[in-house]
Amino acid sequence: MASSTTSNVYIHVIEDVINKVRDEFINNGGPGESVLNELQGLWELKMMQAGAILGPIDRSATQKSGAGGPITPNPVHDLNVPYEGTEEYETPTADLLFPPTPLPGTAQTPLPGMAQTPLPGTAPTPLPGSDSSSLYNIPTGGTPITPNEYTSTNENGVPEQPPSAWINQRPPLDVNVAYVEGREEGDRGAPHQPTTQDFFISSGKRKRDDLPPQYRGGGYIPQQDGAGDNLSDEDNRSQDLKVVQGGNQQMFVQVGTMSSRIPQLDGPIPDPYDDVLSTPNIYNYQGVVNEDYNMNTPMPNEMHAATPAPVQNDTGDDDDDDEPLNEDDDDDLDDVDQGEDLNTTHLVLAQFDKVTRTKSRWKCTLKDGIMHINNKDILFNKKSISIVWLLGISQATGEFDF
Amino acid sequence: MATFELYRRSTIGMCLTETLDQMVSGGVLSPELAIQVLIQFDKSMTEALESEVKSKVSVKGHLHTYRFCDNVWTFILQNAQLKSEDGQETVDSVKIVACDSKLLTQ
């Protein structure tokens, strides 16, 4: 922030410069008065933004009218005002924007965005329409299919809430949805969990603490041993996703081997979790069938998160560690650069009359200077004296007189 | 008449430079004219400082670096105290650039 005196001085300088270059702008085929006004306007605007000039320029212009009389700053500000005006009118413009679009349209904008994301995922899977109704909290069965329809039907505030809830539920369920994709559940009247659980029943075989069931993440504990047994033994080995359909044959998606191979994916990671898994925390779909399942259940989401985590960490750490080390070394070596960098913060520009030194004590007589300290501009005139001490160094080179 | 381009590094000078660069880049202003504006700014700034209300400033600090090259003194002070009529300022580091005032008179 500049004081009033410095601000006035700056304004005076600007006025003086503009007035003296006006002839060059107008005569000799120069750009013209308008360009000159634009120059002045921009210059003053930047000064105000930098805090070097206080208050509106109009006052100073009127005070300093002088040659500037015929050219009122108003036109200059007019150039700027429209911009400012537009800023001020931002809200009304925004308002203007809204009215043209019908309310439903506005409502639609968020909805489609919201609905679309989950919908596409759900569209292929009949679940949402059918079983997952409870899970997804879909108000209407038909809603999930087409976002457009959904939005169209429920344009007003209604759609907002259900989709939000719906959407909220989706992310956690997405993982499960992957598993569910294969399924086409005709019979699913049952809640999502039990159905998924059925799928994982095959995996139920995995008794062991290994993560494979975790990895499935579905955390769904297979309730039915029969279906699971068949699949589990043989199919488990393949990490392919299996979709089980129907009551008897259950399509389930398994990632990783169920029992023995489980560690493949998250091997190390799951280990620590094993202990955690021991306690059925998150998903206690069933507390019954297998404790192991319970162990696995909490993992599903966590496991998925775990797999990427280590990988990312490993790659990222190396890069991060290497680069900063090198950078730091370079920074420390350059004192000059540091000195130069300091210039940008605090700077004094002046003329010197005399610079003297006595042993370690320097004396400099400066004049007509501008100091930029702590974002403040201080102007000083003649006969200002600055004294500088150099500590700890004595020189025998003599004085410098100029 | 030679001018000190020293003051172009000040806030007001940088604002003017930026504005001129902006206009020259936009093709509104010719580079030659921009240079003339800057020269005029140098003159006006020097005159304004001479005619400005006199104020004294005192600076004390630890001299970290001193340089004299091409008749230009450059000092870098650390832990400097700048006392002016408005008040006192303390900064960790300050750079002082000073040109020989006699060059103008000559």
Side-chain angles (χ1 to χ4, degrees):
Chain A
M1 289 297 295
S3 65
S4 60
T5 57
T6 58
S7 176
N8 292 334
V9 171
Y10 286 152
I11 294 168
H12 175 75
V13 169
I14 294 173
E15 296 284 343
D16 188 39
V17 171
I18 297 297
N19 293 333
K20 291 188 177 176
V21 299
R22 178 170 290 107
D23 293 339
E24 295 179 358
F25 272 75
I26 297 175
N27 300 332
N28 300 329
E33 191 70 21
S34 62
V35 175
L36 181 66
N37 293 334
E38 182 181 356
L39 170 65
Q40 182 177 5
L42 287 175
W43 189 7
E44 290 173 346
L45 180 64
K46 288 182 183 291
M47 291 289 287
M48 292 183 72
Q49 290 175 352
I53 292 182
L54 299 177
I57 299 170
D58 292 338
R59 294 181 301 178
S60 65
T62 57
Q63 291 175 355
K64 304 254 181 178
S65 63
I71 300 169
T72 60
N74 291 332
V76 174
H77 294 286
D78 290 343
L79 294 177
N80 294 330
V81 166
Y83 298 103
E84 294 174 354
T86 55
E87 293 176 358
E88 293 174 356
Y89 293 119
E90 283 178 353
T91 50
T93 55
D95 292 342
L96 293 175
L97 291 176
F98 286 108
T101 61
L103 294 176
T106 58
Q108 289 174 354
T109 53
L111 292 177
M114 295 171 67
Q116 287 174 354
T117 52
L119 290 174
T122 57
T125 60
L127 288 176
S130 61
D131 296 342
S132 61
S133 63
S134 65
L135 297 176
Y136 296 95
N137 294 333
I138 296 171
T140 60
T143 56
I145 296 173
T146 59
N148 292 333
E149 292 176 355
Y150 183 81
T151 56
S152 63
T153 55
N154 303 324
E155 290 178 351
N156 298 332
V158 175
E160 293 178 357
Q161 293 177 352
S164 65
W166 181 30
I167 293 169
N168 292 336
Q169 291 180 348
R170 286 208 175 256
L173 295 175
D174 289 340
V175 173
N176 299 332
V177 170
Y179 299 101
V180 175
E181 285 176 355
R183 306 176 189 182
E184 289 176 358
E185 301 143 339
D187 295 343
R188 306 253 170 99
H192 177 68
Q193 292 178 353
T195 57
T196 56
Q197 290 172 347
D198 292 345
F199 298 137
F200 291 95
I201 291 172
S202 64
S203 64
K205 275 214 173 166
R206 41 188 188 199
K207 292 180 182 174
R208 70 190 55 128
D209 300 345
D210 292 344
L211 312 165
Q214 298 173 353
Y215 187 82
R216 302 256 175 39
Y220 302 97
I221 299 171
Q223 291 176 343
Q224 299 177 359
D225 293 341
D229 292 342
N230 295 333
L231 297 174
S232 63
D233 292 343
E234 297 175 351
D235 296 348
N236 293 338
R237 293 182 188 175
S238 64
Q239 295 179 350
D240 295 341
L241 300 177
K242 294 179 181 179
V243 177
V244 177
Q245 292 180 346
N248 295 331
Q249 292 179 351
Q250 293 176 345
M251 299 294 291
F252 62 89
V253 176
Q254 292 180 348
V255 180
T257 58
M258 296 178 62
S259 60
S260 62
R261 293 155 184 109
I262 297 166
Q264 289 178 353
L265 297 175
D266 295 336
I269 296 169
D271 291 339
Y273 291 101
D274 289 343
D275 295 340
V276 176
L277 296 176
S278 62
T279 62
N281 295 329
I282 298 172
Y283 300 93
N284 293 329
Y285 299 112
Q286 304 166 341
V288 179
V289 175
N290 291 330
E291 293 178 353
D292 294 341
Y293 296 106
N294 292 334
M295 294 173 64
N296 296 332
T297 56
M299 292 310 299
N301 293 335
E302 293 177 357
M303 292 304 299
H304 294 285
T307 47
V311 175
Q312 291 176 353
N313 292 335
D314 292 341
T315 57
D317 290 341
D318 293 341
D319 293 340
D320 293 340
D321 291 339
D322 292 340
E323 292 177 353
L325 293 175
N326 295 335
E327 291 176 351
D328 291 339
D329 293 341
D330 293 338
D331 291 340
D332 294 338
L333 294 176
D334 292 336
D335 293 338
V336 176
D337 291 344
Q338 290 176 353
E340 292 177 355
D341 292 339
L342 299 175
N343 300 337
T344 58
T345 56
H346 311 290
L347 185 65
V348 175
L349 304 171
Q351 303 174 23
F352 69 89
D353 287 338
K354 182 187 292 184
V355 176
T356 61
R357 181 189 64 83
T358 302
K359 290 187 178 180
S360 65
R361 178 171 174 170
W362 291 70
K363 278 191 180 181
C364 307
T365 304
L366 306 178
K367 70 172 189 178
D368 299 344
I370 302 174
M371 300 196 308
H372 184 73
I373 305 291
N374 293 331
N375 290 327
K376 287 173 58 179
D377 281 358
I378 302 172
L379 307 178
F380 63 91
N381 205 335
K382 302 175 184 177
K383 309 300 181 185
S384 64
I385 299 173
S386 67
I387 301 173
V388 174
W389 276 279
L390 178 62
L391 301 177
I393 297 177
S394 62
Q395 297 178 354
T397 56
E399 297 180 351
F400 299 89
D401 292 334
F402 296 90
Chain B
M1 176 181 175
T3 60
F4 279 146
E5 299 180 5
L6 177 72
Y7 301 110
R8 297 183 189 179
R9 297 170 62 179
S10 64
T11 304
I12 183 173
M14 292 302 297
C15 291
L16 178 61
T17 305
E18 292 175 0
T19 304
L20 290 173
D21 288 342
Q22 186 176 340
M23 295 178 72
V24 171
S25 299
V28 180
L29 198 63
S30 65
E32 295 79 13
L33 195 54
I35 293 173
Q36 290 182 3
V37 174
L38 284 173
I39 293 173
Q40 182 57 49
F41 165 75
D42 294 337
K43 298 177 185 176
S44 297
M45 193 71 217
T46 304
E47 293 175 1
L49 287 175
E50 291 176 354
S51 62
E52 180 215 356
V53 175
K54 296 181 180 181
S55 62
K56 271 195 175 181
V57 173
S58 173
V59 178
K60 293 183 181 180
H62 171 71
L63 183 64
H64 180 269
T65 305
Y66 64 90
R67 180 186 302 124
F68 182 69
C69 181
D70 294 335
N71 288 326
V72 176
W73 273 104
T74 303
F75 302 102
I76 296 178
L77 272 63
Q78 291 180 344
N79 299 327
Q81 291 182 350
L82 300 98
K83 296 180 182 178
S84 66
E85 294 177 351
D86 294 337
Q88 180 174 344
E89 299 284 340
T90 304
V91 293
D92 293 337
S93 66
V94 61
K95 182 176 183 179
I96 301 175
V97 180
C99 296
D100 194 348
S101 62
K102 297 176 184 176
L103 292 178
L104 288 178
T105 58
Q106 294 176 355

